[in-house]
Amino acid sequence: MMNPETRKWHILPSSLLKSDWDGERIIYHATSGETHFLNSMGARLIDRLLESPAGLDDLLPYAYELRLDGLPAREELRSQIIAILRRFDELGLVVSVIPTSGP
């Protein structure tokens, strides 16, 4: 896989059905027919990516704001987000692309 720090990540909204359950998220991925359980961080990243494609630098401040209860170091949080994005990519929940620079 290419460097996750240089990619933009996005989700096709029509491919996911989601439901919150006891503070966690259940999503059904219509493309694969699989159901997945997400913790709160995974659910919040999915919500952010459903809004618009985002790179790691876009997701980091968003995730950092959400971790007020037990703030990990910035680099640790960065590693956690990369691990979540890689797992989402393996499951087919997100698609990553290399952003193109201007003309």
Side-chain angles (χ1 to χ4, degrees), residues 4-64:
E5 296 194 30
T6 60
R7 297 187 158 286
K8 288 272 187 186
W9 304 82
H10 67 95
I11 298 173
L12 298 175
S14 62
S15 68
L16 293 181
L17 298 173
K18 59 185 183 169
S19 179
D20 291 324
W21 181 55
D22 197 25
E24 300 201 353
R25 171 82 43 89
I26 299 170
I27 59 171
Y28 173 73
H29 186 232
T31 306
S32 68
E34 295 180 346
T35 301
H36 304 281
F37 296 91
L38 304 177
N39 63 19
S40 60
M41 178 61 79
R44 290 172 175 155
L45 290 176
I46 289 285
D47 288 343
R48 171 58 184 85
L49 292 172
L50 284 168
E51 291 175 13
S52 65
L56 183 60
D57 288 338
D58 302 316
L59 295 171
L60 188 60
Y62 177 79
Y64 200 71

Side-chain angles (χ1 to χ4, degrees), residues 4-5 45 56 60 72-87:
E5 296 194 30
L45 290 176
L56 183 60
L60 188 60
R74 191 169 182 85
E75 284 308 308
E76 181 182 336
L77 183 59
R78 185 180 205 83
S79 296
Q80 289 175 5
I81 294 170
I82 290 170
I84 291 169
L85 291 171
R86 283 185 172 153
R87 183 66 180 142

